[in-house]
Amino acid sequence: MRPVTLAEFVGQAHLLSGDKPLRQAIEQGRLHSMVFWGPPGTGKTTLARIIANTSRAQFLSLSAVLSGVKEIRQAIEQARLHSQEHASSTVLFVDEVHRFNKAQQDAFLPHIENGTFYFIGATTENPSFELNNALLSRARIYVLKRLTEQDVSQCIDNALQDDERGLGRMQIEVGREARDLLAAVADGDARRALNFLEIAADWIGESAEENTITCEIVKEVTAQGIRRFDKRGEYFYDQISALHKSVRGSDPDAALYWFCRMIDGGCDPYYIARRVLRMAVEDIGNADPRGLQIAVSAWDTYERLGSPEGELAIAQAIVYLACVPKSNATYRAYGLAMKDAKDHGSQEVPMHLRNAPTKLMKDLGYGRDYRYAHDEPDAYVQGECYFPEILRGTRYYEPVDRGLEIKIKERMRRLRNKVENRN
């Protein structure tokens, strides 16, 4: 059921509607190198084939998963010979192009430059992370979107009605509810939808009395289907980002949703537990120090119970962190202090702060004039400087007006006022 013309192609209207530049370029045969970035089953390979056919160009295909330098050289030579013998263009399509290393990607550059072939790469990963800048500068990026359920339903209907490539001759019927369920479970992936449809057709084909695909049959054949989730790819980082930002934004419901999406997609709960611990430190901080304890306890509980029971403890921690007051004061203070530590080099420890375990050190003045804080009122030494002299008076930590940090801020203000009043 792979479409062979633009008229058969389903979805990607933002790229292929009548007035869009890519559509006009394809119809007018104006080839250029490009990279298709999008989820599986959205038509990247199909679109590359249609572009080659419409432009009457030779179509060569490489898979970065299976191909190496040898296959790249063979494709380049084949494109060169075709250009000499037929005076026509070649489209070199590279699937999963992000899996090629820098040297392999660089191998295409001179041949793109001299017109040996037009390069079309397909990737499910963010090109700005995975592809060389030199290659990106020679190819236009087109983002293919996840198919809507309506798009997937159209693909299903096309397969049911096509007598030659589809299931038209079998006269199979699919009820509206069953078709909608099949489109939903496909999760925006036309290839997945057609695979499920084929399995369902085989299922009822074993019975001479049945020619209708029901919801029950769809549920059976899609029982192992999971939502799209790539443990190292763009979806992974998008979803963990959404979870973290939902917690930071005090939305426990959205945070739970993204947590469940990741668990449903097969994410390692230990990874999420580690990120929840990071959230407690980065976004809750001293506004509610219990958040850190709860995050650690959730990780420990999962360690003891395993899946699926232990996942509830992680969910509890996520909800708690989303609901409590937020502060990134420590996070910001740490960043500022680290910057000064790097920018100001190896500043000497002031003499009065140095330890003096030996007589020689005492004679040299180590620890001299140090005032023990616990011997002072409020355990606070007015006017004492614990910085190197160059950083005297520097402040990094500024408590926020939320949670426990309200009290911390009040105490620090009171102590600092003592120094100002004395001066």
Side-chain angles (χ1 to χ4, degrees):
M1 288 301 301
R2 186 187 296 278
V4 295
T5 66
L6 281 178
E8 295 179 350
F9 194 88
V10 176
Q12 314 308 329
H14 65 292
L15 296 178
L16 299 174
S17 59
D19 60 342
K20 298 299 181 181
L22 179 58
R23 172 99 186 201
Q24 294 178 0
I26 294 173
E27 291 180 338
Q28 296 171 15
R30 291 186 282 107
L31 283 171
H32 59 277
S33 292
M34 60 194 84
V35 173
F36 294 145
W37 170 30
T42 51
K44 297 185 291 295
T45 303
T46 296
L47 191 53
R49 289 181 177 275
I50 290 174
I51 289 172
N53 291 338
T54 304
S55 303
R56 297 182 180 180
Q58 175 185 219
F59 183 81
L60 299 179
S61 179
L62 293 176
S63 169
V65 177
L66 303 174
S67 304
V69 175
K70 177 183 177 182
E71 288 77 15
I72 294 174
R73 289 175 177 171
Q74 290 174 345
I76 293 172
E77 181 63 17
Q78 189 174 347
R80 187 183 64 80
L81 292 175
H82 181 80
S83 177
Q84 292 177 351
E85 296 173 0
H86 301 281
S88 64
S89 303
T90 294
V91 168
L92 178 58
F93 175 71
V94 182
D95 197 16
E96 304 289 343
V97 64
H98 60 275
R99 294 181 181 269
F100 273 149
N101 60 35
K102 183 179 185 299
Q104 290 169 318
Q105 293 180 30
D106 285 346
F108 297 114
L109 300 180
H111 308 287
I112 295 174
E113 287 287 337
N114 62 28
T116 302
F117 53 74
Y118 292 95
F119 175 88
I120 300 182
T123 177
T124 57
E125 304 297 330
N126 190 327
S128 60
F129 295 150
E130 304 294 340
L131 301 186
N132 297 347
N133 289 333
L135 182 57
L136 289 176
S137 69
R138 291 164 173 80
R140 183 167 179 180
I141 308 298
Y142 293 102
V143 180
L144 277 68
K145 298 180 179 180
R146 174 183 181 273
L147 297 181
T148 65
E149 291 187 13
Q150 183 178 359
D151 293 333
V152 177
S153 293
Q154 184 176 340
C155 292
I156 294 171
D157 289 342
N158 292 345
L160 291 171
Q161 297 165 10
D162 194 301
D163 292 338
E164 297 181 5
R165 297 178 294 169
L167 302 173
R169 288 176 295 178
M170 296 180 64
Q171 296 184 340
I172 290 175
E173 296 182 2
V174 181
R176 177 176 295 276
E177 291 185 3
R179 187 191 64 176
D180 292 345
L181 178 59
L182 187 58
V185 175
D187 200 27
D189 186 331
R191 181 167 50 244
R192 176 185 286 184
L194 295 178
N195 285 339
F196 284 150
L197 179 62
E198 186 174 22
I199 296 171
D202 291 340
W203 184 299
I204 65 173
E206 298 175 358
S207 172
E209 301 177 355
E210 183 65 65
N211 72 333
T212 301
I213 296 176
T214 64
C215 286
E216 288 69 25
I217 292 175
V218 172
K219 291 176 181 178
E220 288 290 339
V221 301
T222 62
Q224 301 303 316
I226 60 175
R227 298 297 178 187
R228 185 178 300 118
F229 185 83
D230 184 344
K231 293 182 181 179
R232 293 172 298 185
E234 185 74 11
Y235 297 110
F236 174 89
Y237 294 109
D238 285 347
Q239 291 180 25
I240 194 62
S241 175
L243 170 59
H244 194 148
K245 288 170 182 173
S246 298
V247 170
R248 180 183 295 150
S250 298
D251 190 332
D253 303 296
L256 268 181
Y257 169 77
W258 292 115
F259 170 65
C260 291
R261 276 285 302 275
M262 297 186 76
I263 292 297
D264 179 57
C267 181
D268 182 1
Y270 283 112
Y271 174 83
I272 301 179
R274 288 193 295 271
R275 283 300 295 251
V276 170
L277 200 59
R278 168 68 183 264
M279 297 172 200
V281 175
E282 179 178 336
D283 292 296
I284 314 302
N286 289 331
D288 190 339
R290 292 170 298 182
L292 181 58
Q293 299 171 2
I294 289 174
V296 172
S297 295
W299 189 346
D300 184 56
T301 301
Y302 183 82
E303 180 81 28
R304 295 170 183 270
L305 292 181
S307 183
E309 294 87 351
E311 291 159 7
L312 183 59
I314 301 175
Q316 178 181 339
I318 287 172
V319 169
Y320 183 85
L321 296 182
C323 293
V324 298
K326 306 296 187 295
S327 171
N328 69 343
T330 300
Y331 176 72
R332 295 181 61 219
Y334 174 79
L336 293 171
M338 181 60 73
K339 183 177 186 301
D340 274 353
K342 292 179 178 180
D343 290 349
H344 292 288
S346 300
Q347 294 294 318
E348 296 288 340
V349 176
M351 293 294 287
H352 69 287
L353 298 181
R354 298 186 189 186
N355 193 27
T358 68
K359 184 177 182 301
L360 175 61
M361 290 178 173
K362 290 179 181 179
D363 292 343
L364 292 174
Y366 282 36
R368 186 179 299 162
D369 298 327
Y370 171 67
R371 296 167 63 185
Y372 188 56
H374 292 287
D375 292 339
E376 304 288 334
D378 283 333
Y380 182 72
V381 182
Q382 296 184 33
E384 185 67 283
C385 177
Y386 298 94
F387 272 111
E389 188 60 33
I390 193 175
L391 293 173
R392 175 183 287 272
T394 301
R395 292 184 184 177
Y396 303 125
Y397 180 54
E398 296 292 344
V400 300
D401 293 318
R402 293 183 292 276
L404 180 62
E405 288 201 345
I406 294 175
K407 294 184 177 180
I408 295 175
K409 188 173 186 177
E410 290 175 353
R411 181 177 187 276
M412 297 308 297
R413 183 186 295 118
R414 179 166 52 84
L415 294 176
R416 288 166 178 166
N417 284 342
K418 287 186 177 182
V419 178
E420 294 174 0
N421 292 336
R422 190 188 72 169
N423 294 337

